[in-house]
Amino acid sequence: MLGGMFLAACVQLTSDANWAKNIATCSRLTAQAAARGAKLVVLPENFAFIGLREEDKLAIAEDIIPGVGLHGPIVQALIEMAVAGRVWLVAGGMPERSGEPGKVHNTCVVISPDGGVAAKYRKIHLFDVQIPGGAEFQESRSVAPGSEPVVVETPHCRLGLSICYDVRFPELYRELGKMGAQVVVVPAAFTLHTGKDHWHVLLRARAIENQTYVVAAAQFGRPNDKRVCYGHSLIVDPWGTVLVDAQDREGIVVAEIDLAYQEKVRRELPALLHRRR
C-alpha cells in the first residue's frame, strides 16, 4: 500500500461563460499550486464554463479519450497545465459529448504529469432540485448520468473520483473505499443555499466514515444572476479534521496528505473491518 506524504491543492474561482478566461485563471492558479510543491491539484466543477442556461454547455462539449492523442481546446489546456507544473491534475467537471441528443456528460478528467488522460469519471448523481426561495436546477435536462465509480492509481495515492452532488450519496464513497481509494476528490459548484448548512458536514462525514482524505475544490461567488456558489474549498483528513478552508475569494489552498497517518487512523479505529452486511 502507498504510504508516503505529498501536498494536495484545491483551486477556487468564479467561472462564467468566458471559457478562455476561466482556463487562463485555472492555469495561473495551478502554476501557483505547483510552485508551492503540490503534486495533486484539483479544479472545481464547471471550471471551464458556467452559462446562463444548462444547455449552453452543449456548444463547448468535447470528446474525452484516455491516452495521449488529439484533444479539444479545454482538454489540451489541461494537459499543458499538468505538464508545465509536473502535477496530477483533476479537472472537476466539464462537458463531454454523449450519445444522447441534446445532452452531455458532466465529466471529471484526470491528467498525468506526462500529459496523458489517465482517467475520466462521469457524474452519476444529477442535481435536480426545486427549493422554494432557494436553488432551482434540473441538471438531467442537459446531462446524461454516468454509471461507474472510478479509482485512479497514481504514484502518490489511489484516487477516488466524484463530483459535487455525489457527496450526498454515501454508498458511492463506500464503493470507492472498497476499490482502494485513499484520497477522494469532490470538485463542486455547491449552491450558497445548501452549502452554508451542508457542505462541511457532508465532506467531513465522507472522510470519517471511509477514513479517507477528501479534497474538495469549489466554485465561489456569483457566476451569473441565476446562481451563487458557496466556495469554502476544503481538504479534510481521515479523522474528519478540516486541514484547510478557503476564504471567499479566488485562490488556492494546500495541505499535506499523509498516508501513514491514514493507516494509523485505520489501525487504531478499525471501523472498516467491523462492517456487517
Side-chain angles (χ1 to χ4, degrees), residues 149-258:
V150 176
V151 172
V152 187
E153 188 85 29
T154 80
H156 309 293
C157 67
R158 286 189 290 275
L159 191 65
L161 308 182
S162 68
I163 301 174
C164 199
Y165 191 53
D166 282 332
V167 77
R168 294 185 181 275
F169 301 89
E171 59 271 22
L172 172 61
Y173 298 87
R174 183 65 84 201
E175 186 63 27
L176 293 173
K178 288 164 62 178
M179 293 168 66
Q182 297 163 298
V183 178
V184 171
V185 296
V186 190
F190 238 67
T191 66
L192 175 63
H193 184 80
T194 56
K196 61 184 175 59
D197 296 319
H198 297 165
W199 175 247
H200 287 73
V201 176
L202 287 168
L203 292 169
R204 293 185 68 206
R206 298 297 83 85
I208 292 167
E209 68 197 5
N210 296 293
Q211 297 177 323
T212 60
Y213 282 90
V214 173
V215 182
Q219 295 277 348
F220 87 102
R222 187 181 292 274
N224 55 51
D225 291 339
K226 294 184 177 181
R227 189 166 190 167
V228 184
C229 296
Y230 179 61
H232 289 277
S233 296
L234 300 179
I235 299 179
V236 187
D237 77 10
W239 192 252
T241 302
V242 175
L243 300 179
V244 286
D245 184 339
Q247 299 179 25
D248 291 331
R249 59 183 174 83
E250 180 182 286
I252 62 170
V253 289
V254 179
E256 185 177 78
I257 307 296
D258 183 351

Side-chain angles (χ1 to χ4, degrees), residues 7 18 27 34 53 56 61 63 87-88 110 130-131 137 156 160 192 216 219 233 261 274-275:
L7 295 180
N18 185 338
S27 180
R53 303 173 302 166
D56 288 347
D63 293 318
V87 298
W88 283 83
V110 181
Q130 290 182 310
I131 302 173
F137 295 97
H156 309 293
L192 175 63
Q219 295 277 348
S233 296
Y261 171 70
H274 297 159
R275 286 176 293 158

